Amino acid sequence: MFIKRLPDFQHHAPVSLSEALDLLTKHGGKAEVYAGGTDLLPAMKKREKTPKHLIDLKKIREMKGIRLDGKKGIRIGALTTLGELERSTLVHEKFTPLWDAVTMMASPQIRSLGTLGGNLCGAVPSADTAPPLIVLGASVKMVGPSGEREILVENFFRGPKESVLQKDEVMKEVFIPQPGNFASGKYIKLMRREAMDLALVGVAACLTMEARGKICKDARISLGAVAPTPIRVPQAEEVLINREIDEVRAAEAGKAASVVCRPIGDIRSSLAYRCSMVEVLTKRAILEAYKRIV
Ligand SMILES: Cc1cc2nc3c(=O)[nH]c(=O)nc-3n(C[C@H](O)[C@H](O)[C@H](O)COP(=O)(O)OP(=O)(O)OC[C@H]3O[C@@H](n4cnc5c(N)ncnc54)[C@H](O)[C@@H]3O)c2cc1C
């Protein structure tokens, strides 16, 4: 049964990260932080989660916005909304697979509330921002009572709705290194309908080419929604590195990716369909990433 009312809770609105961390420590396992609330509040209405204390992060300015980190890359505050990422020229031009992903997520209303940090911390296998961030080599910074730590997004997830984030930690920001010259990427999402749907399959590809010619210097492939966590696929990457990129090579990489994926079959699509779509969409993502470079 779907219960519509939220259970009782006490609301806290800290204005700094240290205040938020103090509240988390004080209320221990009875507290949960939230950002846009687009995942957490529906889960509370369904009584999947019943925190007694809700710590609203939205007033913490140091966790907001997109800024250049010299020539090294960009830092995106965990509270940056999906809508802000969609409107960012920098993200659109330089970090295209991430831009591809956010423009296909949810609806404009959800994108105006939902945050990048919330998408990652929810840790669902179909989280759309995860495969693009993995192929972009991004890392996340987490802050807790014992200080800060940084970890690659590809090592962040542990299982469905599980990550390395500890109960007393908050995700502060995401760092994405500046892509090299002659590099670009693509994220493709398969849905049952054109909008407002979770991914049946998500594929991100990023290629770095030699200055001239067709030789691929570096390749990264990541899949979403087809394993207990978003995954990187080195087996498909190896097919591309130091080779020319063409239809045959991209198809070979697609095959390698479909061998590695471990999707579930459910009411939304069968296991076999998901695997064959991994093959098709990996090939397509590679060729479209390549087209964006040459
Ligand atoms: C109608 C609808 C459509 C959707 N479509 C998509 C879609 O297409 N693709 C997709 O990937 N998702 C989709 N979602 C899921 C959701 O909107 C996104 O995952 C969104 O980015 C979550 O961000 P949030 O800020 O609202 O998270 P919240 O609900 O605020 O938080 C989610 C979880 O993360 C934790 N958390 C949040 N921020 C932090 C932080 N900084 N540090 C530590 N923990 C934190 C919270 O404690 C909570 O457990 C959809 C949701 C709805 C309701």
Side-chain angles (χ1 to χ4, degrees), residues 171-207:
M171 182 184 286
K172 184 181 176 198
E173 63 187 19
V174 176
F175 171 72
I176 316 181
Q178 186 73 25
N181 294 329
F182 306 102
S184 195
K186 176 80 186 172
Y187 176 68
I188 299 180
K189 174 179 181 178
L190 178 70
M191 298 179 270
R192 283 171 307 172
R193 51 178 191 238
E194 283 300 304
M196 283 288 277
D197 203 3
L198 300 180
L200 292 175
V201 174
V203 181
C206 215
L207 303 179

CSV table of all heavy atoms in Angstrom, one decimal, residues 171-207:
chain,number,residue,atom,x,y,z
A,171,MET,N,28.8,14.0,1.3
A,171,MET,CA,29.6,14.2,0.1
A,171,MET,C,29.6,15.7,-0.2
A,171,MET,O,28.6,16.4,-0.2
A,171,MET,CB,28.9,13.5,-1.1
A,171,MET,CG,29.7,13.7,-2.4
A,171,MET,SD,28.8,12.9,-3.8
A,171,MET,CE,29.1,11.2,-3.5
A,172,LYS,N,30.8,16.2,-0.3
A,172,LYS,CA,31.0,17.7,-0.5
A,172,LYS,C,31.0,18.1,-1.9
A,172,LYS,O,30.3,19.1,-2.3
A,172,LYS,CB,32.3,18.2,0.2
A,172,LYS,CG,32.4,19.7,0.2
A,172,LYS,CD,33.7,20.1,0.8
A,172,LYS,CE,33.9,21.6,0.7
A,172,LYS,NZ,35.3,22.0,0.9
A,173,GLU,N,31.8,17.4,-2.8
A,173,GLU,CA,31.9,17.9,-4.2
A,173,GLU,C,32.4,16.8,-5.1
A,173,GLU,O,32.8,15.7,-4.6
A,173,GLU,CB,32.8,19.1,-4.3
A,173,GLU,CG,34.2,18.8,-3.9
A,173,GLU,CD,35.1,20.0,-3.8
A,173,GLU,OE1,34.6,21.1,-3.8
A,173,GLU,OE2,36.4,19.8,-3.9
A,174,VAL,N,32.2,17.0,-6.4
A,174,VAL,CA,32.7,16.1,-7.4
A,174,VAL,C,33.8,16.8,-8.2
A,174,VAL,O,33.6,18.0,-8.6
A,174,VAL,CB,31.6,15.7,-8.3
A,174,VAL,CG1,32.0,14.8,-9.5
A,174,VAL,CG2,30.4,15.0,-7.5
A,175,PHE,N,34.9,16.2,-8.4
A,175,PHE,CA,36.0,16.8,-9.2
A,175,PHE,C,36.1,16.0,-10.5
A,175,PHE,O,36.1,14.8,-10.6
A,175,PHE,CB,37.3,16.7,-8.5
A,175,PHE,CG,38.5,17.1,-9.4
A,175,PHE,CD1,38.7,18.4,-9.7
A,175,PHE,CD2,39.4,16.1,-9.9
A,175,PHE,CE1,39.8,18.8,-10.5
A,175,PHE,CE2,40.4,16.5,-10.7
A,175,PHE,CZ,40.6,17.8,-11.0
A,176,ILE,N,36.1,16.8,-11.6
A,176,ILE,CA,36.3,16.1,-13.0
A,176,ILE,C,37.5,16.7,-13.6
A,176,ILE,O,37.6,17.9,-13.8
A,176,ILE,CB,35.1,16.3,-13.9
A,176,ILE,CG1,33.7,16.1,-13.2
A,176,ILE,CG2,35.2,15.4,-15.1
A,176,ILE,CD1,32.5,16.3,-14.1
A,177,PRO,N,38.5,15.9,-13.9
A,177,PRO,CA,39.7,16.4,-14.6
A,177,PRO,C,39.4,16.9,-16.0
A,177,PRO,O,38.5,16.4,-16.6
A,177,PRO,CB,40.7,15.2,-14.6
A,177,PRO,CG,39.8,14.0,-14.4
A,177,PRO,CD,38.6,14.4,-13.7
A,178,GLN,N,40.2,17.9,-16.4
A,178,GLN,CA,40.0,18.5,-17.7
A,178,GLN,C,40.3,17.4,-18.8
A,178,GLN,O,41.4,16.8,-18.7
A,178,GLN,CB,41.1,19.6,-17.8
A,178,GLN,CG,41.0,20.4,-19.1
A,178,GLN,CD,39.8,21.4,-19.1
A,178,GLN,OE1,39.3,21.7,-18.0
A,178,GLN,NE2,39.3,21.7,-20.2
A,179,PRO,N,39.4,17.2,-19.7
A,179,PRO,CA,39.7,16.2,-20.7
A,179,PRO,C,40.9,16.7,-21.6
A,179,PRO,O,41.1,17.9,-21.8
A,179,PRO,CB,38.5,16.1,-21.6
A,179,PRO,CG,37.4,16.8,-20.8
A,179,PRO,CD,38.1,17.8,-19.8
A,180,GLY,N,41.7,15.8,-22.2
A,180,GLY,CA,42.8,16.2,-23.0
A,180,GLY,C,42.3,16.8,-24.3
A,180,GLY,O,41.1,16.8,-24.6
A,181,ASN,N,43.2,17.2,-25.2
A,181,ASN,CA,42.8,17.7,-26.5
A,181,ASN,C,42.4,16.4,-27.3
A,181,ASN,O,42.8,15.3,-27.0
A,181,ASN,CB,44.0,18.3,-27.3
A,181,ASN,CG,44.4,19.6,-26.6
A,181,ASN,OD1,43.5,20.3,-26.0
A,181,ASN,ND2,45.7,19.9,-26.6
A,182,PHE,N,41.6,16.6,-28.3
A,182,PHE,CA,41.1,15.5,-29.1
A,182,PHE,C,40.4,14.4,-28.3
A,182,PHE,O,40.7,13.2,-28.5
A,182,PHE,CB,42.3,14.8,-29.9
A,182,PHE,CG,43.0,15.9,-30.7
A,182,PHE,CD1,44.2,16.3,-30.3
A,182,PHE,CD2,42.5,16.4,-31.9
A,182,PHE,CE1,44.9,17.3,-31.0
A,182,PHE,CE2,43.1,17.4,-32.6
A,182,PHE,CZ,44.3,17.8,-32.2
A,183,ALA,N,39.7,14.8,-27.3
A,183,ALA,CA,38.9,13.9,-26.4
A,183,ALA,C,37.4,14.3,-26.4
A,183,ALA,O,37.1,15.5,-26.4
A,183,ALA,CB,39.5,13.9,-25.0
A,184,SER,N,36.6,13.3,-26.4
A,184,SER,CA,35.2,13.6,-26.2
A,184,SER,C,34.4,12.3,-25.8
A,184,SER,O,35.1,11.3,-25.7
A,184,SER,CB,34.5,14.2,-27.4
A,184,SER,OG,33.2,14.8,-27.0
A,185,GLY,N,33.2,12.5,-25.5
A,185,GLY,CA,32.4,11.3,-25.0
A,185,GLY,C,31.0,11.4,-25.3
A,185,GLY,O,30.5,12.4,-25.9
A,186,LYS,N,30.2,10.3,-25.0
A,186,LYS,CA,28.8,10.3,-25.2
A,186,LYS,C,28.2,9.4,-24.2
A,186,LYS,O,28.7,8.3,-23.8
A,186,LYS,CB,28.6,9.7,-26.6
A,186,LYS,CG,27.2,9.5,-27.0
A,186,LYS,CD,26.5,10.7,-27.5
A,186,LYS,CE,25.0,10.5,-27.8
A,186,LYS,NZ,24.3,11.8,-28.0
A,187,TYR,N,27.0,9.8,-23.7
A,187,TYR,CA,26.1,8.9,-22.9
A,187,TYR,C,24.8,8.6,-23.6
A,187,TYR,O,24.2,9.5,-24.1
A,187,TYR,CB,25.8,9.6,-21.5
A,187,TYR,CG,24.9,8.8,-20.6
A,187,TYR,CD1,25.4,7.6,-20.1
A,187,TYR,CD2,23.6,9.2,-20.3
A,187,TYR,CE1,24.6,6.8,-19.3
A,187,TYR,CE2,22.8,8.4,-19.5
A,187,TYR,CZ,23.3,7.3,-19.0
A,187,TYR,OH,22.5,6.5,-18.2
A,188,ILE,N,24.5,7.3,-23.7
A,188,ILE,CA,23.2,6.9,-24.3
A,188,ILE,C,22.4,6.2,-23.2
A,188,ILE,O,22.9,5.3,-22.5
A,188,ILE,CB,23.5,6.0,-25.5
A,188,ILE,CG1,24.3,6.8,-26.6
A,188,ILE,CG2,22.1,5.6,-26.1
A,188,ILE,CD1,24.5,6.0,-27.8
A,189,LYS,N,21.1,6.6,-23.2
A,189,LYS,CA,20.2,5.9,-22.2
A,189,LYS,C,19.1,5.3,-22.9
A,189,LYS,O,18.4,5.9,-23.7
A,189,LYS,CB,19.7,7.1,-21.3
A,189,LYS,CG,18.7,6.6,-20.2
A,189,LYS,CD,18.3,7.9,-19.4
A,189,LYS,CE,17.2,7.5,-18.3
A,189,LYS,NZ,16.9,8.6,-17.5
A,190,LEU,N,18.8,4.0,-22.6
A,190,LEU,CA,17.7,3.3,-23.1
A,190,LEU,C,16.6,3.3,-22.1
A,190,LEU,O,16.7,2.9,-21.0
A,190,LEU,CB,18.1,1.9,-23.5
A,190,LEU,CG,16.9,1.0,-24.0
A,190,LEU,CD1,16.5,1.4,-25.4
A,190,LEU,CD2,17.3,-0.5,-24.0
A,191,MET,N,15.4,3.8,-22.6
A,191,MET,CA,14.2,3.9,-21.7
A,191,MET,C,13.1,3.3,-22.4
A,191,MET,O,13.1,3.1,-23.6
A,191,MET,CB,13.9,5.4,-21.4
A,191,MET,CG,14.9,6.2,-20.7
A,191,MET,SD,14.4,7.9,-20.4
A,191,MET,CE,15.0,8.7,-21.9
A,192,ARG,N,12.0,2.9,-21.6
A,192,ARG,CA,10.8,2.4,-22.3
A,192,ARG,C,10.1,3.5,-23.0
A,192,ARG,O,9.3,3.2,-23.9
A,192,ARG,CB,9.9,1.7,-21.2
A,192,ARG,CG,10.4,0.4,-20.7
A,192,ARG,CD,9.6,0.0,-19.6
A,192,ARG,NE,9.5,1.0,-18.5
A,192,ARG,CZ,8.8,1.0,-17.5
A,192,ARG,NH1,8.0,0.0,-17.3
A,192,ARG,NH2,8.8,2.0,-16.6
A,193,ARG,N,10.2,4.7,-22.5
A,193,ARG,CA,9.6,5.8,-23.2
A,193,ARG,C,10.6,7.0,-23.3
A,193,ARG,O,11.6,6.9,-22.6
A,193,ARG,CB,8.3,6.2,-22.5
A,193,ARG,CG,8.5,6.4,-21.1
A,193,ARG,CD,7.2,6.9,-20.4
A,193,ARG,NE,7.6,7.3,-19.0
A,193,ARG,CZ,7.1,6.8,-17.9
A,193,ARG,NH1,6.2,5.9,-17.9
A,193,ARG,NH2,7.5,7.3,-16.7
A,194,GLU,N,10.2,8.0,-24.0
A,194,GLU,CA,11.2,9.1,-24.3
A,194,GLU,C,11.6,10.0,-23.1
A,194,GLU,O,12.5,10.7,-23.1
A,194,GLU,CB,10.7,10.0,-25.4
A,194,GLU,CG,10.8,9.3,-26.8
A,194,GLU,CD,12.3,9.0,-27.1
A,194,GLU,OE1,13.1,9.9,-27.1
A,194,GLU,OE2,12.5,7.8,-27.4
A,195,ALA,N,10.7,10.0,-22.1
A,195,ALA,CA,11.0,10.9,-20.9
A,195,ALA,C,10.5,10.3,-19.6
A,195,ALA,O,9.7,9.4,-19.6
A,195,ALA,CB,10.3,12.2,-21.2
A,196,MET,N,11.0,10.9,-18.5
A,196,MET,CA,10.5,10.5,-17.2
A,196,MET,C,10.6,9.0,-16.9
A,196,MET,O,9.7,8.4,-16.4
A,196,MET,CB,9.1,10.9,-17.0
A,196,MET,CG,8.9,12.4,-16.7
A,196,MET,SD,9.5,12.8,-15.1
A,196,MET,CE,8.0,12.4,-14.1
A,197,ASP,N,11.8,8.4,-17.3
A,197,ASP,CA,11.9,7.0,-17.0
A,197,ASP,C,13.3,6.7,-16.6
A,197,ASP,O,14.3,7.4,-17.0
A,197,ASP,CB,11.5,6.2,-18.3
A,197,ASP,CG,11.1,4.7,-17.9
A,197,ASP,OD1,11.1,4.4,-16.7
A,197,ASP,OD2,10.9,4.0,-18.9
A,198,LEU,N,13.5,5.6,-15.8
A,198,LEU,CA,14.8,5.2,-15.4
A,198,LEU,C,15.4,4.4,-16.5
A,198,LEU,O,14.7,3.9,-17.4
A,198,LEU,CB,14.7,4.4,-14.1
A,198,LEU,CG,14.1,5.1,-12.9
A,198,LEU,CD1,14.1,4.2,-11.7
A,198,LEU,CD2,14.9,6.4,-12.6
A,199,ALA,N,16.8,4.4,-16.5
A,199,ALA,CA,17.5,3.7,-17.6
A,199,ALA,C,17.2,2.2,-17.5
A,199,ALA,O,17.3,1.6,-16.4
A,199,ALA,CB,19.0,4.0,-17.5
A,200,LEU,N,16.9,1.5,-18.7
A,200,LEU,CA,17.0,0.1,-18.8
A,200,LEU,C,18.5,-0.3,-18.9
A,200,LEU,O,18.9,-1.3,-18.5
A,200,LEU,CB,16.2,-0.4,-20.0
A,200,LEU,CG,14.7,-0.3,-20.0
A,200,LEU,CD1,14.1,-0.7,-21.3
A,200,LEU,CD2,14.1,-1.1,-18.8
A,201,VAL,N,19.1,0.5,-19.7
A,201,VAL,CA,20.6,0.4,-20.0
A,201,VAL,C,21.1,1.8,-20.1
A,201,VAL,O,20.5,2.6,-20.8
A,201,VAL,CB,20.9,-0.4,-21.3
A,201,VAL,CG1,22.3,-0.4,-21.6
A,201,VAL,CG2,20.3,-1.8,-21.2
A,202,GLY,N,22.3,2.1,-19.5
A,202,GLY,CA,23.0,3.3,-19.7
A,202,GLY,C,24.4,3.0,-20.2
A,202,GLY,O,25.0,2.1,-19.6
A,203,VAL,N,24.9,3.7,-21.2
A,203,VAL,CA,26.2,3.4,-21.7
A,203,VAL,C,27.0,4.8,-21.9
A,203,VAL,O,26.4,5.7,-22.6
A,203,VAL,CB,26.3,2.7,-23.1
A,203,VAL,CG1,27.7,2.5,-23.5
A,203,VAL,CG2,25.5,1.4,-23.0
A,204,ALA,N,28.1,4.9,-21.3
A,204,ALA,CA,29.0,6.1,-21.5
A,204,ALA,C,30.3,5.6,-22.1
A,204,ALA,O,30.8,4.6,-21.7
A,204,ALA,CB,29.2,6.8,-20.2
A,205,ALA,N,30.7,6.4,-23.1
A,205,ALA,CA,32.0,6.1,-23.7
A,205,ALA,C,32.8,7.4,-23.8
A,205,ALA,O,32.2,8.5,-24.0
A,205,ALA,CB,31.8,5.6,-25.1
A,206,CYS,N,34.1,7.4,-23.6
A,206,CYS,CA,35.0,8.5,-23.7
A,206,CYS,C,36.2,8.1,-24.4
A,206,CYS,O,36.8,7.1,-24.1
A,206,CYS,CB,35.4,9.0,-22.3
A,206,CYS,SG,35.5,10.8,-22.2
A,207,LEU,N,36.6,8.8,-25.5
A,207,LEU,CA,37.8,8.5,-26.3
A,207,LEU,C,38.8,9.7,-26.3
A,207,LEU,O,38.3,10.8,-26.3
A,207,LEU,CB,37.4,8.2,-27.7
A,207,LEU,CG,36.4,7.1,-28.0
A,207,LEU,CD1,36.1,7.0,-29.5
A,207,LEU,CD2,36.8,5.8,-27.5
